[in-house]
Amino acid sequence: MSLKTDSKVPLYEQIYQYIKSDIQSGRIPKGERLPSTRALSRHLEVSRSTVELAYEQLLSEGYVEAEPYRGFFVAQIEELYHIEQEKVREPEQEEKKQIYRYDFTPNGVDLKSFPYSVWRKLSKEILIDDRTELFRSGNPQGEYGFRSAVCSYLYQARGVNCLPEQVIIGAGSDYILMLLSMILGTGLRIGFEDPSYKHAYQVMKELSYETVPVGLDKNGMKVTELQESGADIAYVTPSHQYPTGIVMPMKRRMELLKWAQEKAERYVIEDDYDSEFRYKGKPIPALKGYDKNDKVIYLGTFSKSIAPAIRLSYMVLPGPLMRRYYEKCGFIQSTVSKVDQLIVQQFIEKGYYERHLNKTRAMYKSRHDVLIEELRPLMDVCSISGEHAGVHLLLTFKNKRSEAELIENARKCGIRIYGMSAYRIRERREQEATILLGYANLSEEQIREAVKILRDSVF
């Protein structure tokens, strides 16, 4: 043991670290008697009190035990030893990631359109005075003013009539789903659309829910199959099904609500993830707007329409579940800062959000139009669907090309495209290859260049 007298680390801590390391590595075996404080202090040429401090720290952490009149002995703790400090690598570091020249991700958000100047202005106005209340713990559900702004927006834009008391704010959809699981309780079976938004499916599965896939037809989730599945909860994206883009018509919506009304504990979770972006006709009203019997749990987010880093999502609960929320989760503090809530509240109330949506919608519509125009020469080998809303469309090929072949050929050209099979819960052999092309992250010029390469070398 060699001590460094010029180190900023105290001598007693150096002694403690040396002995602890030797115990963990097995160099000092369990049951071994340590040198007396007097002997070790003489050997290291330090004061006895320094060694006593090191031994006291080891004693308090359970590495050694003191026996009266006998001294200090290495503790008899099973499976404590041979602890190795391994360097943990993140999954994406396990192999070299390919860098793509163009990425048609269907989950993109154009951050270049983020309203930086407005955000700075609102932040400055909110923080210009010393407002200590902004830094105290807030309402567990989220600040009342912000929840009121969310209710006003939902009524005007989505046809949802709700009260601030029904709204719960959370940091992202994952948190909202975890909170919802505490409210619903265990032992329930959840039916998911297939193909589906796999992230939500995976979250609920990891929360120990039994999950069952329910097939789709041209009108969305098949209610007859849902009935046969024995599900208690239906998780749907009715205004713009992800990833197919299907819009659930009124008749199917009424069938779904009727299914929910048949049993007291049945509910529909409506994930209205990108309702703001529609390019043909008026926005489709939310299913929650037709919910007369308090059977729809409505989920929304600002991550898609403002920026992913905002991490600001919300949930509108039916009355019976609100009572359960207060009983089970009322003690859980809000995961979104009051400052962020106030900024977004002002962003909505002062009309900035509506203007931002109009600007973003026009920008996405322009990219959407360019993408469709560039794809027109391919209409003899494929068809386009799901193109009237959201930020992606689907290409279904008629020429027996396999999905894996298309994705691999695109990869070789430095272009990333996405296959429908990645969104299916049940594995099946696709009769026709379907590819998802997102356009939010690409400029119009990039779309033209990328599609030209796809036309010439891939499709």
Side-chain angles (χ1 to χ4, degrees), residues 187-201:
L188 298 174
R189 180 180 292 182
I190 303 179
F192 277 86
E193 300 162 321
D194 187 17
S196 179
Y197 175 44
K198 291 287 285 290
H199 186 81
Y201 169 80

Side-chain angles (χ1 to χ4, degrees), residues 183 234 271:
I183 297 166
D271 189 343

Side-chain angles (χ1 to χ4, degrees), residues 9 21 57 65 73-74 118 132 191 222 250 257 268 277 288 295 300 307 350 361 365 381 402 413 419 430:
V9 180
S21 177
Q57 186 64 34
E65 295 172 342
F73 294 82
V74 176
V118 170
T132 54
K222 298 177 183 177
M250 184 60 66
L257 290 175
V268 175
F277 304 117
K288 180 68 177 173
K295 284 293 184 177
K350 293 185 176 181
R361 192 182 295 117
K365 173 66 165 59
V381 295
S402 74
C413 296
E430 304 285 348

Side-chain angles (χ1 to χ4, degrees), residues 28-187:
I28 303 178
K30 53 188 176 181
E32 180 84 2
R33 184 176 183 274
L34 298 183
S36 68
T37 56
R38 188 187 304 276
L40 189 55
S41 65
R42 274 201 309 268
H43 174 70
L44 297 176
E45 297 181 347
V46 296
S47 68
R48 186 177 178 185
S49 61
T50 299
V51 177
E52 287 174 345
L53 276 174
Y55 278 19
E56 284 172 9
Q57 186 64 34
L58 291 165
L59 186 65
S60 66
E61 293 186 17
Y63 285 99
V64 301
E65 295 172 342
E67 295 186 15
Y69 309 111
R70 295 192 63 213
F72 293 92
F73 294 82
V74 176
Q76 304 276 342
I77 304 175
E78 295 298 326
E79 298 180 359
L80 172 68
Y81 307 94
H82 306 293
I83 298 175
E84 295 183 5
Q85 300 298 320
E86 297 182 1
K87 184 178 179 182
V88 179
R89 294 187 296 176
E90 295 182 5
E92 60 266 25
Q93 294 175 321
E94 293 296 329
E95 57 183 62
K96 189 176 180 180
K97 290 181 67 178
Q98 176 171 345
I99 298 174
Y100 290 92
R101 187 178 173 191
Y102 304 107
D103 189 344
F104 282 96
T105 173
N107 300 314
V109 176
D110 188 302
L111 295 179
K112 293 178 182 177
S113 65
F114 183 80
Y116 293 100
S117 59
V118 170
W119 210 261
R120 278 192 295 267
K121 176 178 176 289
L122 292 175
S123 301
K124 186 176 180 181
E125 289 174 357
I126 289 167
L127 297 171
I128 197 166
D129 298 320
D130 295 336
R131 302 171 63 180
T132 54
E133 71 274 8
L134 285 178
F135 300 95
R136 301 184 194 280
S137 294
N139 190 305
Q141 281 182 242
E143 297 310 294
Y144 192 88
F146 178 51
R147 287 185 280 132
S148 297
V150 169
C151 288
S152 297
Y153 167 71
L154 289 178
Y155 180 72
Q156 295 167 13
R158 307 297 300 126
V160 174
N161 192 1
C162 61
L163 299 172
E165 288 77 11
Q166 293 176 265
V167 179
I168 299 171
I169 307 299
S173 300
D174 293 351
Y175 170 79
I176 289 292
L177 289 176
M178 286 188 280
L179 195 64
L180 180 58
S181 73
M182 295 177 66
I183 297 166
L184 292 173
T186 57

Side-chain angles (χ1 to χ4, degrees), residues 23 101 124 133 181 228 233 262 308 312 352 355 388:
I23 292 173
R101 187 178 173 191
K124 186 176 180 181
E133 71 274 8
S181 73
E228 293 167 359
I233 310 286
E262 289 174 356
L312 217 164
Y352 294 119
R355 289 195 285 275
H388 300 311

